[in-house]
Structure formats: structure tokens, C-alpha cells
Amino acid sequence: MKEPKIIYYKDELNDEFSKAKIKPRVIDENYIYIHKNPLWNIASFLVQNVFSVPIKVLYSKFKFRIKYVGKEKLKKYKKQGYFIYGNHTQPFADTFIPSMAMYPKRNFFIVNPENVSMKILGNFVQMLGAIPIPSNKKAMKNFLEAIEKHIKNKHSITIYPEAHIWPYYTKIRQFKDVSFKYPVQLNVPVFCMTNTYQKYGKNQNKIQIVTYIDGPFISNKNLGKKEQQKDLRDRVYNCMVERSKKSNIEYVQYIKKN
């Protein structure tokens, strides 16, 4: 194993280290979150749950040798919608790590507008399950209706509350509780998936992703809405912090600038 690459950061909440530099499109009230065309929806299902699966399986096996711990916790909830929260450490693998754990359940994921801003590929990414964050208040209504519809259709929705990609980061960054309002409002369970980086191989010189699945976390209805949101966030965050301690190798080292 080579010496870890060093990345310096200033702001844990806002620094972004994805290599992709894409000008984000405006997600306004004209953006179609829910397609009524049956052909589009059939194509989306095939792209998401059929055609892309071999690529996901091969990439998982040969690139990261991904292993899941706790996958059985999701089985009880296969006939209802729920939210998944994870740490954001891979630009490509993060799009399918949750969905492979719960397959054949359809998984959708909330993304920044950049993810659907590429010509042609933007539609393909949406077919894979991307739900872009709206750029203005007028689009928010459609965004929230899409989330509610997917939950009612017994799909899962993945959220990366850290918001920005830090490749191979082995700790959990601070994140806000704003995204936890969705499970509180819709009264559905929450799970978290913590990706850790661990050594393997005869000489312990290879790296794999071991993903720990925890939950369900249920909103505490004895609290007010805002308090439920914060409480849910804190329980998920603390669980992910504990799981992140399972990482035993640093492929990339992050150092805060003074």
C-alpha cells in the first residue's frame, strides 16, 4: 500500500473534492420530477434495476470487494418506504451501494443539480434514480411531492447529509439536520449505511469497503417536529461515528488548514 495522498481542507461542511466540474442547471418549476409517460417509467425501471445491475456487481466486486454487515435489518421493511443516510466518500459507488444492499427494491437518491446537468447523461442519471435538489422555492413543491410519491410506492430514498464528496474519508463529517425533516413528516423509518475502509489480502495490502447497516431509527413522537428532526439526526450521526471507527487504513489523509 502506497503512502496516503494528502488533501488539505478548510471547511468541513462546504469543501468539495469531487474531480467533476459541472455547471449546474437551474432546477425550477418546469423540471419534471414525476414522469407520466409510461414508456419513460418502464425505461427507468429497466435502467435502474436490470441493465445497470451487472455493472454495479462487477464494479463492487473488482474495485472495492464491497461487503455488507447488517443487511438482514432491511428485510423486514421490504414492503414499505424508508430513508437511508450514508457518508459520502465515492463519486460513483455511492450511487449504488445502498441499492445493492436492498435489491430488488427500487432506490432513489437526492442529489445536487450538477448530477443531472449533463446533456443526455442527465436524463440517464435521473432514470437511475436521481432526485435533484430544487434551485428555487417554486420547484420545492414538485420535489416534495416526488419524495412522498416514492415513499408511498414503497421505494427507498438515499440521502448523503454531508452533501459533498470526500473520497476515501474515514471519519464522519458534521452535517445538519435539515434532511431529517422528510422521515419525520412522512412518519417512516430511517436506516444508516456507514462505508468503512479496511485492509484485506494475504499481506493486508489491499483495501475494501465494508458497509455497516444500522436501524431502524424511528422518530420520537413525544417531541415537537423540530426536536424530532434533531434527535433523529443525532442518533444517526452518533451511530455512524461509532461505525466509522472500524476503518483501519487511510488511502487519503485529510488535514485541516490552520
Side-chain angles (χ1 to χ4, degrees):
M1 185 67 65
K2 297 178 181 178
E3 287 294 314
K5 174 184 176 182
I6 295 177
I7 292 178
Y8 294 93
Y9 71 93
K10 279 187 175 181
D11 187 343
E12 191 177 40
L13 284 174
N14 298 302
D15 282 357
E16 170 71 63
F17 296 108
S18 170
K19 292 181 180 179
K21 304 298 179 185
I22 303 167
K23 183 179 179 180
R25 63 180 287 189
V26 174
I27 306 297
D28 59 17
E29 64 275 15
N30 297 314
Y31 184 85
I32 302 173
Y33 280 100
I34 300 295
H35 289 261
K36 296 180 181 179
N37 186 333
L39 292 178
W40 197 98
N41 288 306
I42 291 170
S44 176
F45 172 79
L46 291 174
V47 166
Q48 191 179 34
N49 270 36
V50 180
F51 300 144
S52 65
V53 172
I55 297 171
K56 295 172 182 176
V57 170
L58 291 172
Y59 192 85
S60 299
K61 181 177 180 181
F62 293 107
K63 175 67 175 178
F64 289 116
R65 202 169 177 261
I66 295 173
K67 174 185 176 183
Y68 294 96
V69 177
K71 191 164 65 171
E72 70 282 352
K73 297 169 186 174
L74 301 172
K75 289 182 180 179
K76 183 181 176 182
Y77 297 86
K78 62 183 179 181
K79 293 184 178 180
Q80 74 174 92
Y82 53 76
F83 288 87
I84 293 279
Y85 291 81
N87 52 326
H88 209 359
T89 63
Q90 289 296 323
F92 179 56
D94 282 353
T95 65
F96 64 80
I97 287 176
S99 62
M100 294 301 291
M102 63 190 72
Y103 188 82
K105 189 183 191 74
R106 293 189 71 183
N107 176 64
F108 293 78
F109 45 100
I110 295 177
V111 301
N112 289 319
E114 289 88 343
N115 292 272
V116 295
S117 297
M118 296 172 285
K119 290 183 179 180
I120 302 175
L121 279 177
N123 287 328
F124 182 75
V125 172
Q126 190 185 12
M127 285 185 175
L128 280 170
I131 307 172
I133 296 169
S135 304
N136 59 39
K137 290 183 179 180
K138 290 183 179 179
M140 182 60 73
K141 180 176 179 290
N142 297 335
F143 172 75
L144 295 174
E145 285 178 352
I147 289 175
E148 185 173 0
K149 184 176 178 62
H150 286 307
I151 291 297
K152 284 184 177 179
N153 286 343
K154 303 176 183 178
H155 302 153
S156 62
I157 295 179
T158 295
I159 298 175
Y160 291 102
E162 294 171 327
H164 304 283
I165 299 173
W166 285 27
Y168 294 93
Y169 190 59
T170 57
K171 297 181 176 63
I172 305 300
R173 288 167 274 152
Q174 287 289 338
F175 52 78
K176 299 177 182 179
D177 64 13
V178 61
S179 64
F180 288 84
K181 66 183 178 183
Y182 310 127
V184 169
Q185 290 172 350
L186 298 174
N187 194 28
V188 292
V190 162
F191 292 86
C192 63
M193 289 190 181
T194 311
N195 297 320
T196 66
Y197 295 91
Q198 300 187 23
K199 303 174 186 177
Y200 81 96
K202 184 178 179 180
N203 299 315
Q204 294 288 284
N205 61 348
K206 297 180 180 180
I207 188 169
Q208 74 173 133
I209 292 178
V210 180
T211 300
Y212 294 89
I213 301 172
D214 290 288
F217 300 90
I218 308 297
S219 301
N220 184 351
K221 298 304 177 185
N222 293 320
L223 302 174
K225 294 284 186 183
K226 284 287 186 181
E227 288 75 20
Q228 287 180 52
Q229 195 172 310
K230 183 181 183 305
D231 173 68
L232 203 53
R233 177 265 178 208
D234 290 348
R235 282 187 280 147
V236 167
Y237 176 79
N238 291 335
C239 179
M240 293 175 71
V241 168
E242 285 303 309
R243 287 299 195 186
S244 71
K245 295 175 183 177
K246 299 286 187 180
S247 289
N248 57 21
I249 189 169
E250 272 193 327
Y251 186 71
V252 179
Q253 185 178 7
Y254 289 81
I255 299 174
K256 188 169 185 178
K257 292 180 182 178
N258 294 326

